[in-house]
Amino acid sequence: MTSSKVSSEDSAKISGIIAEFNPFHHGHQYLLSQAQGLKIVIMSGNWMQRGEPAIVDKWTRAQMALKNGADIIVELPFFASVQGADYFAQYAVQMLADLGIDQLVFGTDSDAIDYDRLRQVYRENEAEIQAFLETLPDNLSYPQKMQQMWQTFAGIRFDGNTPNHILGLAYTKAVATVAPDIQLQPVKRLGAGFHDETLSHFASATALREHADDDLSNFMPEFTSFHLAPKVQWSDYFPLLKYQLLATRLTDIFQVNDELAVRLKSAIKTATDFEALVDAVVTKRYTKARVRRLLTYILINVPKTQDFEQPKPHVLGFSAAGQRYLKKFDVVTKVGKTYQDALTLQADAIYRLGNQAIPEQNYGRPPLRQTHGAAQVEK
């Protein structure tokens, strides 16, 4: 990727990006190119926000991003990664704020939204907004509640079936609450929509996953890394999930209530695959993304009492500039016996069960280092 000249003011900026890179595509490459200065990415590990296993592991995806402009890749812990949009955004923004970013760069489905104005609206009306949300009926999904909230307080309308826009608004709320001095830099999404399965230069991550067995060298950067990496999908975990659903007292699992437990226990008796199970449980209130997250919690065996205790940032990789920058922060560059985030270790161990070719994901793995256009292992 070619880099353009930037002013000394731009080069001094610290840009933050929240991403999954599932997998890394040309749109992500473009987003990184639009960020100024040092680029810190908080990247979901091996489990995604919408309740899915990453198609390739976190190290492969980190390597792809480092080769295309990222300076630091920090892992978003499992419990923070597999959350609804608000909590996902809040945890990720807090980590970026702690790492000293000046601006948050994020993709959006709309270039007609003034996110700075929305941040101000949320800051000035947070108490009233929370009170308003509590008045909305429980049978509304999260996107439906967000639509009503933003329409009421900011006069904007959006399609709830636009995940990037929903996340952009969640980032706006998180910045307003956690770190209001951080600048917001939305970048208009190019090419295919989030759910578009058509292959093109700016193909969506959905399309690339659907065509993972094809030659995608013309449709994504770093295709060789993607092609050679062991791949997984939910079908690889379905037998394990079925066992968990049949053997576990589901109400002991995080966010599983009595109603969902009954629906899940009933649905697994006839579901022949993962998607059939999801379809049998989904309602207007429980969206597909929420059901997939719940099934992820069940597979990983996340206890009902689980809470987020932010561990020290686990660094997956850095450039030379990124390595220098990180010297002033207390971070983890190699996971050992005293590592704080036991849940992520557990989630990664289960992730490896999906494909026996997936290597160890944590112990003894130093950060990748970006040198001369190739991500290398730090000695």
Side-chain angles (χ1 to χ4, degrees), residues 265-277:
K265 288 283 189 182
S266 175
I268 195 58
K269 294 176 182 178
T270 56
T272 56
D273 57 36
F274 179 78
E275 291 303 326
L277 175 61

Side-chain angles (χ1 to χ4, degrees), residues 1 17 21 24-35 39 68 105-107 185-191 201-202 221:
M1 183 176 68
I17 294 171
F21 298 150
F24 190 88
H25 55 60
H26 284 123
H28 298 136
Q29 185 184 53
Y30 175 73
L31 182 68
L32 281 167
S33 75
Q34 298 304 294
K39 303 167 188 182
N68 286 274
V105 183
F106 59 95
Q185 185 185 338
V187 176
K188 179 68 167 63
R189 181 187 180 96
L190 296 180
H201 181 75
F202 284 103

Side-chain angles (χ1 to χ4, degrees), residues 332-343:
V332 173
T333 54
K334 191 177 292 187
V335 170
K337 293 181 179 179
T338 60
Y339 186 59
Q340 300 168 301
D341 189 4
L343 186 60

Side-chain angles (χ1 to χ4, degrees), residues 96-334:
L96 286 170
D98 292 344
L99 289 171
I101 69 162
D102 303 309
Q103 60 181 0
L104 180 66
V105 183
F106 59 95
T108 178
D109 296 303
S110 172
D111 55 3
I113 301 297
D114 184 345
Y115 288 95
D116 285 318
R117 182 179 75 85
L118 297 186
R119 171 176 51 183
Q120 192 63 27
V121 166
Y122 192 81
R123 285 193 68 191
E124 293 175 353
N125 300 279
E126 184 173 0
E128 292 85 350
I129 287 173
Q130 293 304 319
F132 172 78
L133 290 173
E134 291 177 6
T135 68
L136 296 178
D138 290 339
N139 63 348
L140 292 181
S141 67
Y142 172 85
Q144 290 170 330
K145 290 181 178 180
M146 291 303 99
Q147 284 175 292
Q148 291 200 22
M149 183 200 82
W150 287 114
Q151 183 175 336
T152 300
F153 286 88
I156 66 169
R157 297 173 181 267
F158 66 93
D159 178 0
N161 194 32
T162 51
N164 283 322
H165 191 38
I166 292 171
L167 281 173
L169 293 171
Y171 297 152
T172 301
K173 289 167 59 182
V175 167
T177 304
V178 172
D181 292 335
I182 291 176
Q183 297 176 7
L184 296 170
Q185 185 185 338
V187 176
K188 179 68 167 63
R189 181 187 180 96
L190 296 180
F194 183 88
H195 296 293
D196 193 330
E197 297 181 7
T198 305
L199 288 177
S200 64
H201 181 75
F202 284 103
S204 69
T206 301
L208 296 176
R209 292 194 300 271
E210 285 295 319
H211 296 271
D213 295 330
D214 299 342
D215 180 358
L216 298 173
S217 53
N218 292 327
F219 305 109
M220 64 184 299
E222 312 307 328
F223 169 67
T224 300
S225 296
F226 176 75
H227 176 66
L228 295 176
K231 296 173 183 63
V232 293
Q233 55 188 338
W234 252 118
S235 59
D236 297 310
Y237 303 93
F238 187 67
L240 299 172
L241 176 64
K242 187 171 185 177
Y243 170 81
Q244 284 285 79
L245 285 165
L246 293 172
T248 304
R249 188 165 74 172
L250 297 182
T251 51
D252 289 342
I253 301 296
F254 184 68
Q255 290 191 350
V256 178
N257 57 30
D258 290 333
E259 176 192 356
L260 283 164
V262 170
R263 292 181 65 84
L264 288 164
K265 288 283 189 182
S266 175
I268 195 58
K269 294 176 182 178
T270 56
T272 56
D273 57 36
F274 179 78
E275 291 303 326
L277 175 61
V278 172
D279 289 341
V281 178
V282 163
T283 65
K284 288 184 178 180
R285 179 182 181 186
Y286 300 116
T287 64
K288 283 192 174 186
R290 184 173 178 186
V291 172
R292 289 191 183 106
R293 281 194 292 270
L294 292 171
L295 293 172
T296 304
Y297 301 148
I298 292 167
L299 177 68
I300 307 302
N301 198 29
V302 182
K304 183 172 287 292
T305 56
Q306 184 71 43
D307 200 359
F308 184 58
E309 297 179 1
Q310 184 175 321
K312 296 178 183 178
H314 178 207
V315 179
L316 299 178
F318 43 57
S319 66
Q323 185 178 19
R324 289 193 298 271
Y325 181 80
L326 284 173
K327 289 181 178 178
K328 56 186 176 180
F329 296 96
D330 187 11
V331 299
V332 173
T333 54
K334 191 177 292 187

